[in-house]
Amino acid sequence: TAGGDCSTIDFSGEVQIFSTQSAFLALKPGSGQCWGNTAEGGDCSSVDFSSVSRIYSNSFAFLLLDDAKLPQCWGRSGYGGDGCSSGSLQGFNIYATSRAFAAINTVSGAAFCWGQENYGGICEGLNFLGTTDVWANSRAFVAIDLNAQTGLAWGSSTQGGNATLVNFPRVLHIPTTVTSTSQTATTTVTTATTTPTTVTVTSTVTPTTVTNTV
């Protein structure tokens, strides 16, 4: 029930594999097959795979964007498996903690978050205009505007979701587990690095030097 039986899955032809913590998705052109824990993404029988632009996942749910950037999500309810936007996410970048997703448009400043609240599932009222970088750990997000040298965080207040005391023009130390996002359907959103990422912002106004070390 947790992803161990794939005996009925057709792996012939071009197949891409995606996962949550206890389920898998085998994606082929025009079709998708899921197995594992049905409550955590193992059942995708109601998902339309006829048009797939990108696939994302967190620990408990999957998110599909079609060619029009219309989303479909499935998996554990309240952990990102439901509540995704009914409208197009064209122009939005997708990020994930272990139990939430965030869709952020840095041009308009708009954002849409869903999933468990103390894992970053609520970002109502936050303005992301000018955001240059977004990072996620297991339980929180942080969005940084390197040009304005400001940042905001949300999610668990004790796990990185509260940055009110952070002086962002100084050295930023991003959590050691950093969740990266995929830009195509060939990479899942839950790939984690094990080396701390450090962003250094100089105190001068012009030019601003940014160093990312992964």
Side-chain angles (χ1 to χ4, degrees):
T1 60
D5 183 8
C6 59
S7 58
T8 62
I9 305 301
D10 178 12
F11 291 103
S12 63
E14 180 183 343
V15 181
Q16 299 174 67
I17 304 298
F18 304 88
S19 68
T20 64
Q21 69 173 10
S22 61
F24 290 98
L25 160 65
L27 180 67
K28 302 175 71 172
S31 67
Q33 304 167 88
C34 298
W35 72 100
N37 189 330
T38 57
E40 296 180 359
D43 179 8
C44 56
S45 57
S46 63
V47 178
D48 180 6
F49 290 99
S50 61
S51 169
V52 179
S53 173
R54 297 173 185 174
I55 297 288
Y56 302 90
S57 67
N58 63 21
S59 296
F60 297 89
F62 290 103
L63 169 65
L64 177 155
L65 296 185
D66 67 14
D67 290 336
K69 300 301 184 289
L70 292 171
Q72 300 178 73
C73 51
W74 70 99
R76 185 170 292 280
S77 176
Y79 285 41
D82 60 351
C84 52
S85 173
S86 59
S88 174
L89 294 177
Q90 182 72 46
F92 287 75
N93 294 319
I94 307 298
Y95 307 91
T97 61
S98 62
R99 300 184 184 184
F101 290 102
I104 298 175
N105 188 321
T106 59
V107 176
S108 68
F112 181 70
C113 301
W114 68 100
Q116 195 166 37
E117 179 178 0
N118 62 341
Y119 282 73
I122 294 181
C123 56
E124 184 179 357
L126 299 180
N127 186 353
F128 295 91
L129 186 65
T131 296
T132 55
D133 295 275
V134 178
W135 301 88
N137 64 21
S138 176
R139 298 190 61 169
F141 297 98
V142 59
I144 301 167
D145 183 342
L146 291 174
N147 298 312
Q149 298 183 339
T150 59
L152 54 87
W154 68 105
S156 171
S157 60
T158 61
Q159 303 286 332
N162 185 344
T164 55
L165 299 180
V166 177
N167 185 1
F168 284 97
R170 295 178 179 271
V171 176
L172 287 174
H173 186 70
I174 304 302
T176 56
T177 300
V178 178
T179 304
S180 61
T181 61
S182 63
Q183 292 303 310
T184 67
T186 60
T187 306
T188 68
V189 73
T190 52
T191 301
T193 62
T194 58
T195 302
T197 298
T198 301
V199 179
T200 304
V201 181
T202 61
S203 58
T204 58
V205 176
T206 305
T208 298
T209 302
V210 179
T211 302
N212 290 318
T213 303
V214 178

